[in-house]
Amino acid sequence: MTSPTDAEISDHIAKAGRRAWEVPGLDPATPRREVRTVGIIGAGTMGGGIAMNFATAGIDVRIVETQQEALDRGLAVVRGNYQRSADKGRFAQDEVEARMARFDGRLAIADLADCDLVIEAVFEDMDLKKKIFTELGQVMKPGAILATNTSALDIDEIASVTGRAGDVIGLHFFSPANVMKLLEIVRAGETADDVVATCMDLAKTINKIAVLVGVCPGFVGNRILFARQKQANKLLYQGVLPWDVDAALNAFGFRMGPFQMSDLAGLDIGWSKGARTDNPIRDALCELDRRGQKTKAGFYDYDEARTPHPSSVTADIIRDITGAAPATMPQDRIIDTCIHPMINEAVKILEENKAQRPGDIDVVWLNGYGWPADKGGPMFYGDMVGAKAVLATMERLGAEDPEFAPARTLRRLAADGGKFTEIDTGGLKV
Ligand code: NAD
């Protein structure tokens, strides 16, 4: 393991952050589309937060829900967020009113017809999204940009129903969307150059850090997250307990480990009563109404102050399901088992040309997922530990599950001493 200096780490982070804005192949003189009014579909967790970014930047927002109550609820959350900031002295009360005055709540998608940009943030359901994008294709004015905030669905499939796929793009915000800096801009197969250029500029206007990525399940950030989550779950089958996995990742520098994060997000995402998914431990916890922090129990038990405590109920469930006796594993091995697959997945993303460059992957994880700054991002950290060490882990994990087989380029780096941060596979291709 090499130990870069603080200056080397901050230099890498600064350079990667600057380069992420560069889109090779996109003519800087590309005319931008004018964006004066933004339509948002869905005033839930994401829709409300996304809308706040625009209202804060002085842009009018028209926001659509299916029911008046949901619309009122969504707008009340927005007002509450602004009010809390004003109460803390971040801006004057007048500013709360000025921002709220930019909101216009509606109950019909057709009311968005003259918006310059529409961002869809309804439930993560392909049929629902296709229904909405079919309507957007019919009602929106020519030249409007049609964006989806989907976390992982195929944007080419969504675009295919609009009759104007060139106008369709992914704008993947992170939760809470009014706070998190990262914006994955997802270029689909037919997204027009001026739509990409306009959205990159718009990201700056709303004070985000944009990274341009391609369409693949989970895009860049979540795809790498899924790899870590799968390995964390596999560790439970070897008798390692969730709090031991989290403690190792906390020691690595993540404020939250995989199970702490699952409890915060809610274990019932993608679960319904009686469901038998590919994650039986999660299913069993949900059946007991241990659905995460919101039910005061998930992988952990929570007290009134929301402090997590290891749970004997969870430990018993895991033992019943996995049949594994409780085992201890050195923290270093837990870290390698969870982190090296993220590096391997990032390399596969670059091989598939779904990211522009290795530094962009670091920007995504530093700004969207709390990657510890002293480890520079997954690619930078890969160079700290070296490709040989990553390959050794992936050969072990790949032998258990072919999904984790070492990437071709990982083998090459290990053989010729190359660096992850210098991988050049030709950039983004759609
Ligand atoms: P949510 O359930 O909080 O909100 C969805 C809202 O959409 C609800 O208020 C619902 O009433 C509304 N809605 C449903 N159908 C509608 C329609 N036809 N017209 C208008 N409104 C409609 O969900 P969320 O967490 O905000 O997620 C929304 C999208 O954002 C999903 O695609 C999700 O994958 C994605 N996303 C979520 C997160 C996250 O952390 N929650 C992060 C990034 C992306």
Side-chain angles (χ1 to χ4, degrees), residues 41-47 64-66 70 109 120-124 128-129 131-132 149-151 172-175:
I41 307 177
T45 311
M46 293 306 290
V64 170
E65 263 290 346
T66 47
I109 286 177
E120 165 278 312
V122 304
F123 310 126
E124 186 78 337
L128 176 60
K129 291 196 195 266
K131 187 169 155 275
I132 286 172
N149 181 51
T150 180
S151 307
H172 183 212
F173 290 81
F174 289 72
S175 184

Side-chain angles (χ1 to χ4, degrees), residues 47-366:
I50 294 169
M52 285 178 72
N53 290 294
F54 293 98
T56 301
I59 297 171
D60 288 335
V61 174
R62 216 172 289 158
I63 188 160
V64 170
E65 263 290 346
T66 47
Q67 306 284 334
Q68 187 65 44
E69 302 79 66
L71 185 57
D72 292 344
R73 203 168 42 239
L75 289 174
V77 171
V78 170
R79 178 176 277 282
N81 285 338
Y82 280 144
Q83 190 60 54
R84 261 191 305 283
S85 296
D87 292 347
K88 286 182 191 153
R90 296 210 182 113
F91 45 77
Q93 186 63 34
D94 286 358
E95 183 60 21
V96 177
E97 303 311 325
R99 293 179 187 188
M100 288 312 296
R102 294 184 191 120
F103 279 84
D104 178 1
R106 302 291 181 100
L107 295 174
I109 286 177
D111 290 352
L112 301 178
D114 63 339
C115 288
D116 304 301
L117 159 69
V118 180
I119 305 174
E120 165 278 312
V122 304
F123 310 126
E124 186 78 337
D125 174 329
M126 180 56 100
D127 289 341
L128 176 60
K129 291 196 195 266
K130 277 168 115 171
K131 187 169 155 275
I132 286 172
F133 274 80
T134 303
E135 186 173 355
L136 290 175
Q138 290 159 358
V139 304
M140 293 305 296
K141 70 174 183 184
I145 298 174
L146 314 182
T148 172
N149 181 51
T150 180
S151 307
L153 297 176
D154 181 347
I155 300 178
D156 288 312
E157 189 175 341
I158 294 173
S160 70
V161 299
T162 60
R164 40 168 127 174
D167 295 334
V168 178
I169 193 162
L171 292 179
H172 183 212
F173 290 81
F174 289 72
S175 184
N178 52 317
V179 176
M180 295 294 288
K181 296 294 274 181
L182 180 66
L183 176 62
E184 277 186 329
I185 298 185
V186 192
R187 177 166 206 160
E190 292 184 45
T191 310
D193 276 359
D194 62 344
V195 171
V196 173
T198 302
C199 289
M200 294 294 287
D201 280 7
L202 202 54
K204 280 199 176 134
T205 307
I206 61 171
N207 202 20
K208 294 291 176 196
I209 294 171
V211 176
L212 187 66
V213 303
V215 175
C216 58
F219 314 125
V220 166
N222 281 343
R223 179 167 161 182
I224 292 172
L225 179 69
F226 296 155
R228 186 183 80 174
Q229 193 68 44
K230 275 190 190 156
Q231 286 301 335
N233 285 340
K234 280 170 186 275
L235 286 173
L236 304 184
Y237 284 77
Q238 294 169 42
V240 186
L241 289 164
W243 26 96
D244 293 330
V245 177
D246 284 341
L249 287 166
N250 296 152
F252 181 78
F254 281 107
R255 205 170 57 78
M256 288 211 159
F259 299 104
Q260 292 157 332
M261 215 171 130
S262 299
D263 270 3
L264 178 66
L267 300 187
D268 50 358
I269 295 177
W271 173 86
S272 53
K273 196 140 188 64
R276 282 170 185 268
T277 69
D278 57 2
N279 189 345
I281 297 170
R282 186 272 302 259
D283 295 348
L285 291 169
C286 286
E287 289 297 343
L288 290 176
D289 210 29
R290 299 182 66 94
R291 290 183 287 123
Q293 281 198 21
K294 60 186 168 191
T295 56
K296 295 209 174 78
F299 282 100
Y300 293 83
D301 293 332
Y302 292 87
D303 59 25
E304 288 307 316
R306 291 209 164 190
T307 308
H309 301 281
S311 161
S312 57
V313 177
T314 300
D316 288 347
I317 288 174
I318 292 172
R319 201 171 32 244
D320 284 353
I321 290 176
T322 65
T328 52
M329 187 180 274
Q331 281 203 337
D332 283 356
R333 190 167 166 99
I334 296 177
I335 290 170
D336 292 354
T337 303
C338 290
I339 302 285
H340 292 180
M342 300 170 73
I343 299 168
N344 191 49
E345 197 63 36
V347 172
K348 289 182 183 174
I349 288 171
L350 290 165
E351 286 176 344
E352 292 170 27
N353 299 99
K354 298 301 179 191
Q356 295 200 96
R357 51 183 83 82
D360 284 18
I361 288 168
D362 289 351
V363 172
V364 166
W365 266 78
L366 286 162

